[in-house]
């Protein structure tokens, strides 16, 4: 049976992952509205990955004989002004998710729940990769600018992103 404090923070993390999916979907809709189909696709793929992140936590709690507690998901922001500002918001958001994952790691260690401490390592690595990928896009936007022909090419690049499912068993 999983430690109750650890169970609680994992349930809070499920909520954050599903909120992340909502946020990326809101961004996907925004990019679609302004005609950037590749940006829209990229953020939609990310939304799917966020659902996977939530489901991995869901399945882990069940495997540890805990109780899944699905909490209300906040409405995402709609303050998107342009692609660079939106990707800066993504980076800020992912840094906050990284901080919350660190809290899960710290609490599981404090509670001597070494299984969860080990489990959460996958998320620590995933956050490094996510922040780096987002930073690459921000650098591209800042280095090459956002004139229409440049945005067109970046949009084509982002359209190439492929969704790879992650699950509890194959993460
Ligand atoms: Fe699931 Fe983007 O962190």
């Amino acid at each position: 049976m999983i430690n109750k404090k650890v169970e609680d923070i994992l349930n809070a993390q499920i909520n954050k992952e599903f909120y992340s999916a909502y946020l990326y979907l809101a961004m996907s809709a925004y990019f679609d509205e302004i005609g950037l189909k590749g940006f829209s696709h990229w953020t939609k793929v990310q939304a799917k990955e966020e659902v996977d992140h939530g489901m991995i936590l869901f399945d882990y709690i069940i495997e540890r004989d805990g109780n899944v507690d699905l909490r209300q998901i906040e409405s995402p922001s709609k303050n998107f002004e342009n692609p660079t500002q939106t990707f800066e918001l993504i980076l800020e958001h992912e840094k906050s998710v990284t901080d919350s994952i660190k809290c899960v790691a710290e609490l599981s260690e404090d509670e001597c729940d070494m299984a969860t401490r080990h489990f959460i390592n996958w998320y620590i690595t995933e956050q490094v990769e996510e922040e780096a990928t987002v930073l690459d896009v921000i650098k591209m936007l800042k280095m090459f600018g956002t004139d229409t022909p440049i945005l067109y090419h970046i949009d084509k690049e982002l359209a190439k992103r492929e969704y790879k499912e992650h699950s509890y068993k194959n993460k």
Side-chain angles (χ1 to χ4, degrees):
M1 184 95 188
I2 195 164
N3 171 298
K4 284 292 158 193
K5 284 190 204 167
V6 173
E7 179 188 271
D8 180 64
I9 203 168
L10 290 175
N11 276 311
Q13 191 62 38
I14 290 179
N15 187 271
K16 287 176 185 162
E17 301 294 346
F18 281 104
Y19 172 76
S20 298
Y22 257 34
L23 181 62
Y24 282 110
L25 282 177
M27 290 170 173
S28 179
Y30 160 71
F31 284 128
D32 194 63
E33 275 165 28
I34 63 170
L36 291 172
K37 297 277 184 199
F39 281 78
S40 175
H41 167 79
W42 192 98
T43 41
K44 200 182 278 177
V45 169
Q46 186 61 37
K48 286 185 190 169
E49 288 202 2
E50 299 299 350
V51 171
D52 288 349
H53 296 170
M55 289 309 300
I56 291 168
L57 290 154
F58 178 102
D59 289 337
Y60 175 72
I61 292 174
I62 289 174
E63 185 157 64
R64 294 287 312 279
D65 196 23
N67 295 113
V68 168
D69 176 22
L70 296 175
R71 301 168 188 177
Q72 188 165 355
I73 303 168
E74 199 186 316
S75 289
S77 160
K78 289 183 188 141
N79 296 324
F80 312 129
E81 293 164 14
N82 55 58
T84 309
Q85 176 263 0
T86 305
F87 266 77
E88 281 172 340
L89 279 181
I90 293 179
L91 186 59
E92 199 180 305
H93 173 70
E94 287 303 340
K95 283 182 176 174
S96 78
V97 174
T98 299
D99 287 343
S100 67
I101 292 289
K102 279 187 210 159
C103 291
V104 176
E106 274 173 14
L107 182 76
S108 49
E109 205 157 307
D110 290 348
E111 295 295 317
C112 296
D113 181 346
M114 292 309 153
T116 302
R117 179 64 193 85
H118 174 71
F119 163 80
I120 213 67
N121 277 343
W122 182 82
Y123 285 83
I124 293 171
T125 308
E126 182 74 2
Q127 284 307 119
V128 171
E129 191 187 306
E130 286 199 355
E131 285 187 27
T133 308
V134 174
L135 198 53
D136 281 348
V137 178
I138 293 172
K139 282 181 189 167
M140 245 193 312
L141 288 165
K142 288 191 170 168
M143 179 176 292
F144 302 119
T146 50
D147 290 344
T148 307
I150 303 283
L151 263 188
Y152 175 81
H153 284 292
I154 297 178
D155 195 58
K156 290 277 170 246
E157 274 307 302
L158 296 190
K160 292 177 189 165
R161 182 174 184 183
E162 287 178 17
Y163 167 65
K164 291 186 200 83
E165 187 190 3
H166 292 294
S167 70
Y168 181 44
K169 297 299 176 194
N170 78 2
K171 67 181 170 58

